[in-house]
Every structure is written in C-alpha cells, then in structure tokens.
Amino acid sequence: MKKVFFGLSGGYGPVQRCIPIAELLKTNGIESVFSIYGPSSELIEERGYKHFPDDDPTFPKKELIVQPGPMFYNLDHYFAQVGLLDENFVMAWVYHRINMLKNIKPDLVVTDLSPQTTIAAKYLNIPIVSITQSCFHPKGDPIHFWGESPRNLPKVTPIINRVLKRLGLPLINRMEDLNSGDVDIVPSFPELDPIKEEEKDVFHVGPIEMKINNRQHKYEEKVPHILVYPGRLHDSSGPTGIKLVQSVISAFHNKQEKVFIATNEEITADHSKISNNITIIPYFSNEFLKSSSLYIHHGGHGSCLSAITNSLPSLIIPTHMEREFNARKVASLGLGEYMVPGTFTSDHLYQMSKFIIEDRYKEHTTEFLNKMIIRNYKGAEHVLSIIRNIFNGGIK
C-alpha cells in the first residue's frame, strides 16, 4: 500500500484542506499519516488518522526569538518569530523530521507551510506536493504587496542555508522557496491567489472544504442572521480572536440583527454585555453559512473561500498580515470589505455591516462564483489525480 505523509504547520486551516484529500486517498487504497502542531491534531485523530507529534525536546533560545505579532512582511520575518534564528534549534528541528520520515517511509510527502518537512523530503529524495497560497509562494504576490516593506528585517535564510549545506542540498534565496515542491497545489482561484509566471507544475484546483457533519448548529427561524467566525481566540499574534469577538458584541449590542458567533473556546468577555440578539455557538454547517446575510470573520484563507463558495459577502477584520493579504484580495474583487483592528468604532462596524448587506456585494459574489463554477474546479479530486499520476511516474 502506498503511503502519504502530510506535514502541516498548525491551526485548523491546513487540516480542513488536507483531510478531504486523505479521505479520497483512502478510497483509492492509499494510506495517509499526519504531523501538525497544536490542538488541531485531535481533529486528525478523530478522523482515524495516525498523528506523529514533533516531540523533540529542543527549543529555541528565547533571546533568538523575534517578538511574535500580527505584522510580518515575509516568511523570513515570520519564521524569525518562531525561533529559526537559532541554528542549533533548526538543526534539531530538521533532523527530527528526517528521522520521522525515515521511520514512516512515505512514498510521497504533502507539505503545508512546513519547511522542515520539505527539507527532510528533499534529503531523503521523496517526491513533494506543496499546498500553498500566493503570499507564501516564491512566484506569488508578496504578503505586503500594497506597500514597501521595512528595511533590515530579520532573515532566517542564512541559518537555513547552513543547514542545507551540511545536508548537501541546494541553497535557497528566501524562505518562500521552501514552500514550493515538485508540484504546487493552490486550493483557491487565480484571482484570489495569483502566481506569476505560472509553470506547468503549479495547479489552482479551487477550494477544498471539509464537511463536519456531526458539528452543526441548526437555526430554524426565518430571520436573516449574521455569522461571525473569529478563528482561534488566542494565537501567535496574541488575543486577536477575542478582540474581534468583543468588537462584534459591542457593535451589535441590543440591535435588531440576529448574530451568531461561532467558537468552541471559552469566551472571557463580560457575558453581561452579550445581549439577547447575540448567540454563541460551537460549530456551524455550510447550510447555516449559506443562509446568512453576512459573514464577519478573521480573514483566514479557508474562511474567505467558504464565503465565496456559499455566495456570501464578507466583512473581514484581519488578525494578522497574511489575513490582511486575503482581505485586500477579497475587497479588490468586490466580494466584501475589510476593517483593520483598532481603526474603527462600534458604530462604524455596525454601519459597515449594514452597508454590505444592503449594497450589491451579494450580487457580486454570486456573479464571481458562477464564473468559477463554469471553470469546473475539482478541488480534492484534482489533487487525488495529481498524486495518482505521480505514483504512476508522471504529472498531469
């Protein structure tokens, strides 16, 4: 039996776009195993897949970690925030992944923002499929495409190159180079995720969504509602999700609109400020999303695509730089608007929500979706065909 190893970064986004691929692989007699950071590993195990934790005890020195925050201008800057300026840590990090792959013996590696997996696979000469976005791809739009990035940002590329040299591997120019494999999969549309000089081994396959049938909220009333998804309430950028929730609670306090905030985490906000028109729910289905009048969210790649595929306009409050990239792309296509955290009052947020609902954003989103439907993207099915062709000795 062929075996595929999925090396993922963290969060629920990579899981939600990789599990559907694994499900199709299973029906074709191909085994899938995973490694990911954070609590999203539980969702992988719930689906019956083997998860291999990165249990190496080595941690980066605190003095070599750039303070994490919502602003990062490229992947060198981002990975400096998670400790890759510490060469000893990088060596241990990469060698642990090499040893993991040696033990698992996969026939193919799928990476999703996992540079140590890419390096390990290259070292072991295992074919690589990279799942990526425009802002993380070496030929995509820069993550800060709307402005000039600051000078003298931290660079982890020299440290990575010293490790690559020890392993006898080609050097890189920047960290984005490690987010490209033998084949690159963009689970999106070219308009949202453009890749310059697109080559034959880069495929836009359209959105890949995971259906969570046992985690749905049913809302039987016919009153139009607004759905809010803040992402994780606390992440590497700080308490960004809880701030989004607090902004919405304040903006819609005692308003006529029915608002649902979807989070399965404990909200630490003062519950006395949550008026009767606001309901906290743990999960929601695509049907619940589709029946909404507006989707207020954090700007995650999957959330932007879910809004589009359900013909729903977005109001994005991006909680870090990659999500602002997504938000600006969505706004440029007329599919929604965005408001940068800390730049608006409660009334401004409320009035902007009403404006999007009442204006032509719904119509624009439907028109855009219809154009994408004509192209007949196949999502996870296209990825399956690519993987099968790799196993058969070719790429199509």
Side-chain angles (χ1 to χ4, degrees):
M1 176 185 289
K2 295 287 188 182
K3 183 185 296 183
V4 175
F5 174 86
F6 287 82
L8 313 182
S9 53
Y12 289 99
V15 174
Q16 290 173 339
R17 59 194 188 187
C18 286
I19 288 289
I21 299 170
E23 296 287 338
L24 286 178
L25 291 174
K26 183 192 297 183
T27 63
N28 282 261
I30 300 170
E31 181 184 359
S32 296
V33 298
F34 289 79
S35 183
I36 192 172
Y37 296 97
S40 48
S41 61
E42 297 174 3
L43 186 54
I44 290 169
E45 292 174 337
E46 284 178 13
R47 290 292 177 120
Y49 295 100
K50 176 69 176 176
H51 174 256
F52 292 85
D54 189 342
D55 54 5
D56 186 88
T58 309
F59 284 89
K61 294 179 181 178
K62 291 182 179 180
E63 61 268 26
L64 294 178
I65 300 176
V66 173
Q67 182 176 354
M71 301 293 288
F72 55 91
Y73 294 92
N74 50 48
L75 286 184
D76 267 82
H77 186 188
Y78 171 77
F79 283 113
Q81 297 179 348
V82 297
L84 299 201
L85 289 172
D86 185 334
E87 187 170 346
N88 290 330
F89 168 72
V90 173
M91 283 295 300
W93 191 54
V94 170
Y95 273 102
H96 185 274
R97 187 51 51 98
I98 289 173
N99 289 329
M100 182 184 289
L101 293 186
K102 281 182 177 179
N103 291 329
I104 296 171
K105 296 181 175 61
D107 300 284
L108 175 73
V109 159
V110 176
T111 68
D112 195 321
L113 198 61
S114 180
Q116 81 278 29
T117 301
T118 300
I119 294 171
K122 286 180 180 290
Y123 179 73
L124 297 172
N125 200 29
I126 303 170
I128 303 167
V129 172
S130 176
I131 298 181
T132 187
Q133 300 165 214
S134 173
C135 60
F136 296 147
H137 192 276
K139 292 185 178 180
D141 282 0
I143 199 166
H144 189 229
F145 70 89
W146 58 92
E148 184 178 354
S149 297
R151 293 168 60 86
N152 302 312
L153 291 169
K155 291 184 179 295
V156 304
T157 292
I159 288 86
I160 294 292
N161 276 338
R162 287 200 286 272
V163 174
L164 292 173
K165 187 175 181 179
R166 291 186 198 180
L167 295 171
L169 294 174
L171 306 186
I172 61 172
N173 295 312
R174 54 192 178 123
M175 285 300 291
E176 282 79 2
D177 292 340
L178 291 177
N179 213 35
S180 180
D182 300 302
V183 178
D184 297 336
I185 303 296
V186 187
S188 179
F189 311 114
E191 291 85 348
L192 197 67
D193 279 282
I195 304 290
K196 298 183 182 70
E197 303 173 19
E198 187 167 322
E199 298 181 5
K200 63 178 181 179
D201 294 338
V202 177
F203 299 89
H204 283 85
V205 302
I208 301 174
E209 292 187 308
M210 182 173 72
K211 291 179 171 53
I212 311 177
N213 295 324
N214 62 331
R215 295 181 171 184
Q216 298 183 3
H217 179 81
K218 294 183 178 180
Y219 176 55
E220 304 297 342
E221 296 180 39
K222 301 300 181 182
V223 180
H225 60 270
I226 294 171
L227 180 60
V228 180
Y229 177 63
R232 285 181 288 174
L233 300 186
H234 294 79
D235 59 19
S236 59
S237 299
T240 53
I242 193 64
K243 289 181 179 179
L244 190 158
V245 169
Q246 290 169 343
S247 295
V248 169
I249 290 173
S250 178
F252 286 92
H253 184 76
N254 283 334
K255 296 295 193 298
Q256 63 180 358
E257 291 81 7
K258 187 70 177 174
V259 177
F260 291 89
I261 301 174
T263 178
N264 61 349
E265 299 180 63
E266 180 67 27
I267 293 181
T268 56
D270 185 352
H271 280 72
S272 66
K273 295 181 179 179
I274 302 179
S275 49
N276 291 333
N277 64 313
I278 300 174
T279 304
I280 309 297
I281 60 175
Y283 305 102
F284 61 90
S285 65
N286 272 350
E287 289 72 21
F288 190 72
L289 177 64
K290 190 186 294 287
S291 64
S292 306
S293 59
L294 176 65
Y295 191 25
I296 301 177
H297 60 88
H298 65 322
H301 194 254
S303 294
C304 294
L305 290 166
S306 290
I308 295 169
T309 57
N310 285 282
S311 192
L312 182 63
S314 291
L315 174 52
I316 302 172
I317 304 175
T319 51
H320 63 54
M321 185 69 89
E322 176 254 333
R323 292 165 187 161
E324 185 171 344
F325 175 99
N326 300 332
R328 286 175 177 267
K329 292 295 185 182
V330 167
S332 70
L333 294 169
L335 310 177
E337 290 291 345
Y338 68 92
M339 304 176 79
V340 175
T343 66
F344 54 84
T345 64
S346 297
D347 185 62
H348 188 183
L349 175 57
Y350 177 70
Q351 295 299 334
M352 179 59 70
S353 301
K354 289 185 63 177
F355 171 74
I356 295 172
I357 293 171
E358 295 168 1
D359 204 69
R360 297 184 60 197
Y361 290 91
K362 171 71 173 179
E363 181 181 337
H364 292 160
T365 306
T366 302
E367 290 173 354
F368 180 83
L369 176 60
N370 288 337
K371 291 178 183 177
M372 299 304 105
I373 291 173
I374 292 172
R375 295 181 189 173
N376 195 28
Y377 290 106
K378 295 187 180 298
E381 291 182 3
H382 192 173
V383 180
L384 170 66
S385 68
I386 290 169
I387 292 175
R388 291 178 67 179
N389 275 289
I390 292 173
F391 286 153
N392 292 329
I395 298 171
K396 289 183 181 180

